Amino acid sequence: MTEPLLQMTGITKAFGGVPALAEGNLSILAGEVHSVVGQNGAGKSTLIKILTGVYRRDGGTVRWQGREVDLRSPREAQAAGIATIYQELTLVPQRTVIENIVLGYEPKTRFGMIDWKAAEARTRAVLDRFGIDIDPHRPLGSFPTAIQQLVAIGRAASMEAKLLIMDEPTSSLDEREVGVLFGVIRALKAQGTSVLYISHFLDEIFDVCDGVTTLRDGRTVGSARVAELTKLDLIALMLGRSAEDIRRAGMTELAGSARAAGGETVLAAEGLTTGRRLRHLDLTLRAGEIVGLAGLLGSGRTEAARALFGMDRPTGGALRMGGKAVSLSNPRAAIAAGLAFLTEDRKTEGIIPDLSVRENLTLALLPRLSRMGVVDEARERRIVEGFIKAIGIKAAHMDQPIRELSGGNQQKVLLGRWLAIEPKLLILDEPTRGVDVGAKREIQAIIRQRVEQGCAVLLISSEFEELIEGAHDIVVMQDGRTTTRLSNPGVTEDQLIHAMAAGGAA
Amino acid sequence: MPGVLRQGHLSVWVALAVLILFGVLRYDNFASAYNLSSFLGYNSMFVVISVGMCLVIMTGGIDLSVGTVAALASVVAAMLSPQGLIVALPGGVAAGLLAGALNAGMIAGLRLPPFMATLATMLAAKGAALSLSDNRTVPVDWASDFTALGMNKVANLLPWTILVALVVVVFAWVVVQRTSLGRTVLAIGGNAEAAHLMGLKTRRAEVFVYLFSGACAGLAGVFLASGYGAGQPLEGAGWELAAIAAVVVGGTLLTGGMGSVPATVAGALLFGLVFNLLNFENGRGTFSLSADWQSVIRGLFLLIVILLQARLGRPALKS
């Protein structure tokens, strides 16, 4: 075999002294569809950003088409033939498909004007090649996202890219569109173009990829042909277990054993569906009980929380509170029903950056804090004071803008925001992610205390330890469905991993 | 820290103080009762529309219709003036409220971008003002008590209009500082997604700010008709920009989420003051500036204050 198209060896990168990549290796053959997998924080995106010239590497070598190269900017990477299709499209939706395909590379007539005939011919050639049948004179934005994405891919391919990087290309596509995309990927492959395919969805990797490189804790821990792997092998590699261990653990007891029933049921979902990412959610949440929700990235955990909290409209299934069917059509209705949802994404869904700690903490509580619309500020200050002490929020004073606080303290404020409304059910999506160890313990202690007081908790977490030690029951999701319910005490990590990977092992 | 002097808004107060000091030291009659009362009388219109604009901008929106809505309200008030202040004042404000309701319906109901929606209202209000007035200024009824609002002064010093404006300012300030509505206004501008997730009544807050801004514009129109004796359908052009400038100088980000009512008032007064000082300078005869050049100087001044704000270290401004 000749030398690979791309060979990255021993890549290192640190941010502010914290290593993000300790030993990144990646090798991609010509005409191969390759994937890089790893849990959050494994160093996946750092490695790819070094390849595309967004970051500079600290150490290691990059060989591209047999020569050692140093790609110092996205532009240089592009010029070398490495094109990236980003999750958010970077084309111009108001302009026509033709204009987008030739943008920046317009064919010119003898007089230096754009040769629209040649441009259209080029566009049609690209579209034909991928079997996309659309009117190229219409604005790009008038087409569905999937088509736009395909046009972006077509544009990259028409620029003679040798390697196309696709970052989570299916995140906004439906099943049929995913099929079309895979067809295009196979067509690219047939033409000798390599594709680096990044996805949280392991099934997609097994569908379309030839090779896969696994990263864990900033190191490449494996690179293999997909055909030689089972899904369980791949998961084991990502998580740092041996597949044999997981398989054996799976042989022991899996089914939920009878256990003392918790308090009364607060909320129950029966076959709740909101779309492709959440196909079937069965969940019973009882007072005084923590239910953990486990699953790989993309298994539908966050979507489950969104559906419960009235953020996504259900297309099927039922939601029951106290035995009665309810419909929570928006977050306000959910809050009124006694639900609270600490979202995973603090920045976009949580904090109001310019408001103070005090104002952020009492936002959800405002209706109860105000009389005739006027906020009882004395009472507000007392409550905030109480939470700052109880949760240990470190702020100069309660009127400090929340953006000036550390991540852990912002998270505590947000947790306080929801605790203040004394919810019956607290949904926590990765409550301790990006939070330092000390704050993490404190946050966990606060949650436990609330549960003892009778609050029901749904805990979404990627950390096995947190789930196994914290949750009474653990519900496992796969491909948008709840598949298994494990009951504590007695759940082991290997059992949990097996349940998460069960589809692949079967 | 009291809201009045929060660190980010300091520059506008400093600038205001510096200009006042400059005026007092340089011009003999600057500190006279006559100058003070005519200054406050004229600028009370800008104070109210700026305060309305401030709340709109806090939500991340904009209201371009305030100038022509004020002109429309001045016409309506002038036409109602024979019935006395008791009818003409509410009538003018109602005209403003109507325009505000139109904006609110388009923005909170139909989800049109505020820029477009209020631009449409701006044109509609101008047309309405011209057609109601038959394209002429509408003289007020001097026999009624209508002109008392704009022309009479308390203790021969403070015009009634500035006192009414003060009530509006205090109302807006209390809403922002003390009510859940005010929190919601800031939360929408700061992070609309999070505000929605928090179950806040975001639509209601949007409706409120546009109604309030419309009412403020209506009130400014009543001041105009009452203070200058006529409904003026062609007045008000560019007032929306003056109001936006006052809000920005007062430290409110155009992206919303933060801001201060008192600092906006200071911003509005600051702009009026530049104008006032230029008039004094003209009066001294050292040089003569046309109104056009005064506008250029006001623009430069706006730039300086904003640069000053950036320097005084407001991290949010850089983003």
Side-chain angles (χ1 to χ4, degrees), chain A residues 306 309 311 330-332 335 343 346-355 358-359 362-364 366 370 373-377 380 399 403-404 417-418, chain B residues 1 6-7 174 176-181 183-184 186-203 253 256-258 315-316:
Chain A
R306 291 178 59 92
F309 200 62
M311 292 164 72
N330 58 47
R332 201 187 320 150
I335 292 167
T343 52
R346 269 200 299 275
K347 278 222 174 64
T348 65
E349 298 180 332
I351 64 167
I352 315 268
D354 289 319
L355 290 189
R358 166 174 60 88
E359 290 162 322
T362 56
L363 266 185
L366 277 182
S370 20
V374 178
V375 180
D376 181 348
E377 204 178 307
E380 179 185 30
D399 292 312
R403 63 178 143 79
E404 294 175 1
R417 173 194 283 175
W418 291 117
Chain B
M1 199 171 359
R6 258 191 231 175
Q7 83 263 45
V174 167
V176 171
Q177 292 286 312
R178 292 264 179 265
T179 68
S180 50
L181 179 63
R183 294 278 171 83
T184 308
L186 288 169
I188 295 172
N191 188 343
E193 174 80 16
H196 176 63
L197 283 182
M198 231 70 64
L200 299 180
K201 293 178 179 164
T202 51
R203 291 268 167 102
L253 291 176
M258 66 185 306

Side-chain angles (χ1 to χ4, degrees), chain A residues 4-5 13-14 44 51 69 95 99 101 107 148 189 239 247 260 309 332 341 346 394-395 402 411 481 501:
Chain A
L5 176 71
K13 177 75 186 174
K44 218 167 37 167
L51 172 59
V69 292
R95 308 312 304 168
E99 286 171 283
I101 294 260
Q148 296 188 32
K189 190 168 106 175
L239 302 176
R247 211 169 272 133
F309 200 62
R332 201 187 320 150
F341 179 21
R346 269 200 299 275
K394 284 173 202 75
I402 193 169
Q411 187 73 338
R481 297 167 193 280

Side-chain angles (χ1 to χ4, degrees), chain A residues 22-309:
Chain A
E23 165 94 48
N25 300 317
L26 176 62
S27 166
I28 299 177
L29 304 175
E32 177 194 26
V33 182
H34 197 95
S35 187
V36 175
V37 297
Q39 290 285 81
N40 276 340
K44 218 167 37 167
S45 66
T46 307
L47 183 66
I48 286 151
K49 282 183 172 157
I50 287 169
L51 172 59
T52 55
V54 176
Y55 295 153
R56 304 293 305 277
R57 62 181 188 274
D58 294 342
T61 56
V62 178
R63 288 178 71 80
W64 171 250
Q65 294 186 293
R67 276 200 320 269
E68 200 158 310
V69 292
D70 190 12
L71 303 168
R72 280 166 304 192
S73 71
R75 215 189 146 70
E76 283 190 21
Q78 209 164 357
I82 300 173
T84 311
I85 314 294
Y86 290 98
Q87 249 171 305
E88 321 83 54
L89 289 166
T90 44
L91 296 182
V92 191
Q94 294 85 356
R95 308 312 304 168
T96 66
V97 173
I98 298 177
E99 286 171 283
N100 272 294
I101 294 260
V102 300
L103 189 65
Y105 301 86
E106 294 91 348
K108 302 282 166 64
T109 64
R110 269 179 304 156
F111 308 108
M113 312 296 274
I114 295 174
D115 184 348
W116 287 113
K117 257 194 199 134
E120 182 170 352
R122 197 201 289 174
T123 302
R124 289 206 186 273
V126 169
L127 297 180
D128 284 350
R129 213 158 78 187
F130 298 127
I132 311 167
D133 185 22
I134 55 170
D135 176 5
H137 293 284
R138 274 176 53 194
L140 182 67
S142 67
F143 295 104
T145 317
I147 298 288
Q148 296 188 32
Q149 207 147 21
L150 293 178
V151 169
I153 292 167
R155 172 187 153 83
S158 76
M159 282 156 41
E160 310 288 312
K162 300 275 187 316
L163 174 64
L164 255 167
I165 301 172
M166 299 186 192
D167 187 7
E168 296 288 343
T170 59
S171 58
S172 51
L173 305 187
D174 69 26
E175 229 147 339
R176 202 179 47 81
E177 293 167 336
V178 170
V180 176
L181 175 71
F182 284 1
V184 167
I185 292 176
R186 291 191 185 103
L188 283 169
K189 190 168 106 175
Q191 290 159 19
T193 308
S194 301
V195 176
L196 179 52
Y197 186 90
I198 316 291
S199 176
H200 288 320
F201 303 104
L202 296 186
D203 285 339
E204 292 176 359
I205 290 166
F206 280 89
D207 269 0
V208 80
C209 294
D210 304 310
V212 57
T213 294
T214 311
L215 285 176
R216 192 174 66 236
D217 300 333
R219 288 173 197 282
T220 296
V221 291
S223 187
R225 303 286 89 199
V226 169
E228 296 158 9
L229 282 178
T230 66
K231 202 161 143 193
L232 187 59
D233 292 332
L234 189 55
I235 293 167
L237 210 52
M238 280 164 69
L239 302 176
R241 304 294 154 117
S242 90
E244 206 37 54
D245 279 355
I246 297 174
R247 211 169 272 133
R248 213 170 350 166
M251 297 303 184
T252 63
E253 190 197 10
L254 254 188
S257 57
R259 50 182 291 279
E264 61 181 296
T265 300
V266 174
L267 184 73
E270 294 165 6
L272 201 64
T273 308
T274 55
R276 192 163 97 84
R277 297 292 183 226
L278 185 68
R279 299 164 195 250
H280 190 98
L281 178 72
D282 281 331
L283 205 55
T284 306
L285 301 161
R286 297 191 189 87
E289 189 180 77
I290 301 178
V291 172
L293 198 57
L296 294 168
L297 281 170
S299 59
R301 297 172 307 180
T302 297
E303 287 77 4
R306 291 178 59 92
L308 294 179
F309 200 62

Side-chain angles (χ1 to χ4, degrees), chain A residues 301-302 305 341-344 411 427-431 458 460-461:
Chain A
R301 297 172 307 180
T302 297
F341 179 21
L342 184 65
T343 52
E344 179 184 7
Q411 187 73 338
I427 304 170
L428 305 164
D429 195 355
E430 304 283 1
L458 179 65
I460 300 174
S461 178

